[in-house]
Amino acid sequence: MILIGLTGGIGAGKSTVSEMLSAKGAAIVDADQIARDLQAPGSPVLDRMAERFGNHIIRDDGSLDRPAVAAIVFNDADALNDLNGIVHPAMQGEIQRQIDVHRETDRVVVLDFPLLAENPRHGLRATVVVDIDPEIAVSRLVEQRGMNEADARARISSQISRDERRAITTHVIDNGGDLEALRRQVDEVWAEIVALGD
């Protein structure tokens, strides 16, 4: 198994790169998806979140109201720490379980984790960051996700800096261009990652 990390700030295009790597045969361990699964209606994690933040974070259908949680934690460091204390232990356990499935194979396993720089992980053979100018990220968040500009800027500023993220990486993919430029860079990085198994 060749275990690599994939990270990038909001709006950088990390999900697109993850899809491209999956198409090449990589096994994707998606931390965001794992978090969503762990916060499914009726789950122990969701119950603990409601105990801490109030039942108003749960919609009538039993699902998590993510914007309601975001409104609480993005402006309150203690609340964010509490949220992380509830979600992260369960998440780390499930991430490890999904990685271990491939332990005795020769597959490339991609840990797709937005907070990889904030939560460094041992055992990675390479770390790829999808990088983008923050102004382009804001434009894409507004145009493609329908966020308002102030919210997009607040989300970006709440994350670590580009320099901090780039400092932990072995490969940088610049997503400031078009899809074809992105695909070429992914091809180059993939070739280098596969070579790690030689």
Side-chain angles (χ1 to χ4, degrees):
M1 177 183 73
I2 301 171
L3 179 62
I4 69 163
L6 174 66
T7 192
I10 187 169
K14 179 182 59 60
S15 297
T16 303
V17 170
S18 184
E19 288 168 12
M20 290 178 177
L21 292 170
S22 176
K24 290 182 173 297
I28 308 297
V29 177
D30 183 339
D32 279 347
Q33 184 60 52
I34 289 170
R36 284 191 290 273
D37 292 345
L38 289 171
Q39 295 165 346
S43 68
V45 168
L46 187 57
D47 290 345
R48 289 185 59 209
M49 288 173 64
E51 284 173 22
R52 166 60 179 85
F53 301 111
N55 286 328
H56 70 280
I57 67 163
I58 299 179
R59 294 189 171 111
D60 291 341
D61 65 0
S63 66
L64 177 63
D65 185 343
R66 292 179 190 286
V69 176
I72 296 168
V73 303
F74 276 117
N75 301 306
D76 183 337
D78 289 336
L80 182 58
N81 284 336
D82 290 347
L83 176 65
N84 289 340
I86 294 168
V87 176
H88 281 188
M91 199 166 137
Q92 291 302 329
E94 180 59 17
I95 285 172
Q96 192 60 54
R97 189 195 69 75
Q98 291 191 21
I99 289 170
D100 287 343
V101 167
H102 304 284
R103 179 79 53 200
E104 302 304 321
T105 73
D106 59 0
R107 289 192 79 176
V108 173
V109 178
V110 177
L111 173 55
D112 178 342
F113 193 13
L115 301 178
L116 193 58
E118 296 92 324
N119 300 278
R121 187 170 185 94
H122 300 292
L124 299 177
R125 301 286 299 280
T127 304
V128 180
V129 65
V130 184
D131 189 49
I132 194 168
D133 180 291
E135 291 304 313
I136 298 175
V138 168
S139 296
R140 289 182 181 173
L141 289 169
V142 170
E143 292 164 15
Q144 297 171 9
R145 294 201 203 172
M147 292 174 74
N148 70 56
E149 186 176 333
D151 188 30
R153 290 187 185 281
R155 294 287 186 97
I156 290 169
S157 67
S158 75
Q159 297 182 331
I160 65 168
S161 71
R162 290 172 80 188
D163 288 342
E164 289 173 296
R165 199 175 285 114
R166 289 173 73 126
I168 67 143
T169 62
T170 56
H171 299 77
V172 176
I173 293 177
D174 179 353
N175 192 19
D178 61 17
L179 200 58
E180 196 47 49
L182 181 65
R183 190 169 279 113
R184 279 196 303 273
Q185 292 177 81
V186 170
D187 288 346
E188 291 169 10
V189 168
W190 177 255
E192 292 175 21
I193 289 166
V194 170
L196 295 171
D198 294 343

